Amino acid sequence: MAFPERFSNLPDYAFPRLRALIDHLPAGGDPIAMTIGEPRHPFPDWVGETIAATLDGFGKYPPNEGTPELRAAIAGWVQRRYGVTIDPATQVCNVNGTREALFNACIATAPELKHGKTPVVLMPNPFYQVYAVAAIASGAEPVFVPATAATGFLPDYEALPPEILDRATAAYICSPANPQGAIAPADYLARLMALAEKHDFRVLADECYSEIYSAEPPPGALAVMQATGTDPERVMIFNSLSKRSNLPGLRSGFVAGGPQAMARVKQLRSYQGAPVPLPLQAVSRRAWDDEEHVRANLALYASKFRMTAEVFAGIQGFQLPEGGFFLWLPVPEGCADGEAAAVKLWTETGVRVLPGAYLSRDTAAGNPGDQYIRVALVAPEAELKAGLTRLRDCLYG
């Protein structure tokens, strides 16, 4: 039986790779998991009440793109957050979290050929792994653009050769970045949009960490689009309630963009998408309408950031993330790479972290994540402090 070749070069996903690396080894202490970006702060107490009040909705097929009330709540949040007015009827679609939409939007909007050539899709390296699969599924070649300390942990798309840019159909940008926590300034986004206008590609802005930050709220791609006069069909944004509202299991987010692009997304989704159940759409609507729980969540992360800075004070290479909740830590000289650091931490302390190479791809210049580990700051603060202290003493002591 034959199988498709287009996905044959995909590496194992990050977490199965980590299990294969360390699960057969004994833990050197009580295990503390700091690998997955699963928020562990309390979600709003009205979630259960809302589901109970709309329980009969489980007996109905939900609308594919979200109820009018939910789409209006999302558009209202976009207006309050970014000062941009979008039409909830034509520019918003509710989805099962951003991963689904980041995959489907590329397939729905990227042409099969560009100037008679195989297209490319640009993405940062390291990156959220769905970007590469979306590019391949759309028939494009993924182009991995280093996002390293030398580039401020953001991809320098402007440095790409014109022949690559002319073949681009889409460019992914994640801000705040996963895993490095870098925030794309408004002028960076403006230059990216100018590049997209010049070379005719679409900007796919992954903003799912936008409500977790250390100082100022991150700029939004739609706000920059409006300020620069960029064609609204050229920009799509993606966000969810997973990080903002501590509801990763709700599987509810949105994609928003120009009416023509969104019509394509909705058309494809009507065939292959699974709409969010009505009670969960009711929770989603209330979550997008409410900012009180978001401010409380941000205050909890601010406390964790202060504690983390105290634990790592004086450690060379340490820096707090500008946004999101991951530390992107360089491995010390005593460790060969991120895998070696992960093994050392697990076998000597029981702390579980993710090697940076599992979030990036090999290039001719090497793997930009090879000398890093990713550490999730999601555990309760006491547990987090214990894990970070063990990590510091084991790797940097």
Side-chain angles (χ1 to χ4, degrees):
M1 179 77 63
F3 291 98
E5 289 297 316
R6 61 186 179 276
F7 299 119
S8 60
N9 292 327
L10 289 177
D12 287 340
Y13 203 65
F15 300 108
R17 288 177 73 181
L18 181 65
R19 290 194 291 270
L21 178 70
I22 66 174
D23 274 9
H24 63 286
L25 302 172
D30 292 335
I32 297 180
M34 306 176 78
T35 53
I36 191 167
E38 181 179 67
R40 292 172 61 185
H41 294 166
F43 52 73
D45 55 11
W46 40 256
V47 169
E49 300 167 5
T50 304
I51 292 175
T54 57
L55 206 58
D56 61 344
F58 282 119
K60 302 174 184 178
Y61 285 119
N64 186 66
E65 69 275 12
T67 64
E69 295 81 6
L70 171 55
R71 285 181 281 124
I74 292 168
W77 178 78
V78 170
Q79 173 64 48
R80 293 191 305 275
R81 177 67 168 82
Y82 299 119
V84 177
T85 299
I86 57 175
D87 181 1
T90 63
Q91 292 187 262
V92 177
C93 184
N94 176 225
V95 294
N96 284 285
T98 52
R99 175 153 49 175
E100 177 218 315
L102 288 161
F103 180 81
N104 286 341
C106 185
I107 297 172
T109 61
E112 295 86 349
L113 291 173
K114 189 173 180 191
H115 305 310
K117 299 178 181 179
T118 300
V120 301
V121 172
L122 313 178
M123 61 199 68
N125 194 21
F127 61 102
Y128 187 41
Q129 298 296 294
V130 73
Y131 306 162
V133 178
I136 294 168
S138 71
E141 172 191 344
V143 173
F144 305 109
V145 181
T148 64
T151 63
F153 294 114
L154 296 169
D156 185 3
Y157 290 139
E158 294 173 287
L160 290 171
E163 57 268 24
I164 294 292
L165 292 168
D166 285 339
R167 288 170 55 204
T169 56
Y172 283 100
I173 184 66
C174 184
S175 177
N178 173 11
Q180 311 97 315
I183 289 176
D187 65 330
Y188 174 95
L189 293 172
R191 295 196 310 272
L192 176 57
M193 291 178 196
L195 200 68
E197 294 271 40
K198 179 179 180 180
H199 294 277
D200 189 23
F201 60 82
R202 184 169 280 105
V203 175
L204 305 180
D206 181 354
E207 299 182 349
C208 70
Y209 295 92
S210 67
E211 305 312 286
I212 302 172
Y213 46 86
S214 297
E216 297 298 320
L222 289 187
V224 174
M225 176 203 75
Q226 180 172 270
T228 57
T230 300
D231 182 354
E233 293 295 337
R234 201 165 295 286
V235 180
M236 303 180 81
I237 69 165
F238 307 80
N239 215 318
S240 84
L241 297 170
S242 296
K243 281 73 179 177
R244 175 185 187 273
S245 300
N246 300 304
L247 288 167
L250 192 70
R251 306 314 307 137
S252 183
F254 75 84
V255 51
Q260 294 178 42
M262 290 305 302
R264 298 281 185 144
V265 169
K266 291 179 183 180
Q267 181 187 41
L268 178 61
R269 195 170 195 274
S270 68
Y271 281 93
Q272 58 72 235
V276 176
L278 282 169
L280 306 189
Q281 291 197 35
V283 172
S284 304
R285 180 186 68 183
R286 184 161 181 182
W288 289 114
D289 277 340
D290 180 66
E291 292 298 323
E292 183 178 351
H293 75 283
V294 181
R295 289 190 289 269
N297 188 45
L298 186 59
L300 291 175
Y301 280 112
S303 178
K304 287 182 176 181
F305 293 155
R306 288 192 294 270
M307 178 272 292
T308 301
E310 292 171 2
V311 170
F312 284 91
I315 300 298
Q316 186 175 2
F318 162 77
Q319 62 181 45
L320 282 173
E322 294 178 311
F325 48 52
F326 296 116
L327 289 184
W328 187 238
L329 289 175
V331 300
E333 292 183 1
C335 291
D337 53 26
E339 282 193 330
V343 169
K344 180 179 175 66
L345 279 170
W346 176 249
T347 57
E348 295 185 14
T349 74
V351 171
R352 196 178 184 98
V353 301
L354 195 65
Y358 293 3
L359 302 167
S360 49
R361 294 293 173 86
D362 294 337
T363 69
N367 187 311
D370 191 53
Q371 296 298 311
Y372 288 85
I373 54 174
R374 192 188 76 173
V375 183
L377 305 178
V378 294
E381 189 161 335
E383 178 184 338
L384 180 63
K385 184 174 183 179
L388 292 176
T389 301
R390 288 191 213 171
L391 187 157
R392 178 203 62 196
D393 294 345
C394 179
L395 293 184
Y396 305 101

